[in-house]
Amino acid sequence: MERLNEIHAQFPIRNDQSLYTLASLTFEAVRIPGLLGLDLLSEKEKDANFHFWRRIGDGMHLTDVPATPEAFWAWMQDYEAENWGWSAGGAAVANAMIDDFAARWLPPAARRIGRELTLALMEDELLDALRLKRPRASTRWMVGLLARAYFGGRAVLPDHAERSWTDGFGAEYGACPHMADVGYLPERDRPAPARVAPAAR
């Protein structure tokens, strides 16, 4: 918790923005499979997921976290309806993430159609807000079929012996000794750009 608070303190993030991130972490594991006609979690798992992320919100000193999953879901829906919209920066981030997701998770043979496969994991309202083309119904059907096959296989195969995420997360980057330099800097605190001498004529 202290590490998360230290990192996020470098950014001018409003409470409602943090709450929406918390809501995404709480509900996307249900919403994305739902787009494909899948229900992967039991009611007990969904409830546990809500309480886990609500406790994270408490530890990060967020305020006004809804007390029930139903209230938090309704809050998220209202927030999206009020705040989703297009911007050049948002579209650039979304496109970069879509391309990166396809490159990371799809085999090379599927990367040519990776963008449309990834768009199938996004709901129409989000695609419209980002001005992205909606995938064909057949693509959503195919992605759903692949997801059913994958999760069906995972249900019968043994789990990998090494399942810890925290032991290895970030190991490729090493320790960060300059945490104070990480994150957003207000304009007044940014270092002046280096002066470049004019080229000799």
Side-chain angles (χ1 to χ4, degrees), residues 161-169:
E162 294 294 333
R163 300 184 65 196
S164 175
W165 189 47
T166 56
D167 289 347
F169 180 71

Side-chain angles (χ1 to χ4, degrees), residues 123-162:
E123 55 191 358
D124 288 340
E125 292 81 1
L126 179 58
L127 294 169
D128 293 344
L130 293 170
R131 301 179 187 174
L132 295 170
K133 184 179 179 181
R134 294 185 181 187
R136 292 168 291 184
S138 58
T139 301
R140 277 227 167 99
W141 177 85
M142 181 176 66
V143 172
L145 189 66
L146 292 172
R148 287 186 184 87
Y150 172 80
F151 287 112
R154 292 295 308 137
V156 298
L157 292 173
D159 290 322
H160 196 280
E162 294 294 333

Side-chain angles (χ1 to χ4, degrees), residues 59-75:
M60 295 185 69
H61 312 299
L62 303 187
T63 60
D64 302 320
V65 182
T68 66
E70 294 78 13
F72 204 9
W73 173 260
W75 180 91

Side-chain angles (χ1 to χ4, degrees), residues 61-137:
H61 312 299
L62 303 187
T63 60
D64 302 320
V65 182
T68 66
E70 294 78 13
F72 204 9
W73 173 260
W75 180 91
M76 184 175 75
Q77 298 292 299
D78 291 341
Y79 189 88
E80 290 176 347
E82 184 177 343
N83 290 278
W84 271 1
W86 186 90
S87 70
V93 170
N95 280 297
M97 291 183 69
I98 290 167
D99 293 338
D100 182 69
F101 184 89
R104 283 175 181 265
W105 295 104
L106 296 176
R111 288 175 189 167
R112 186 175 60 83
I113 58 171
R115 185 176 182 82
E116 186 166 3
L117 294 177
T118 305
L119 293 179
L121 302 175
M122 302 166 66
E123 55 191 358
D124 288 340
E125 292 81 1
L126 179 58
L127 294 169
D128 293 344
L130 293 170
R131 301 179 187 174
L132 295 170
K133 184 179 179 181
R134 294 185 181 187
R136 292 168 291 184

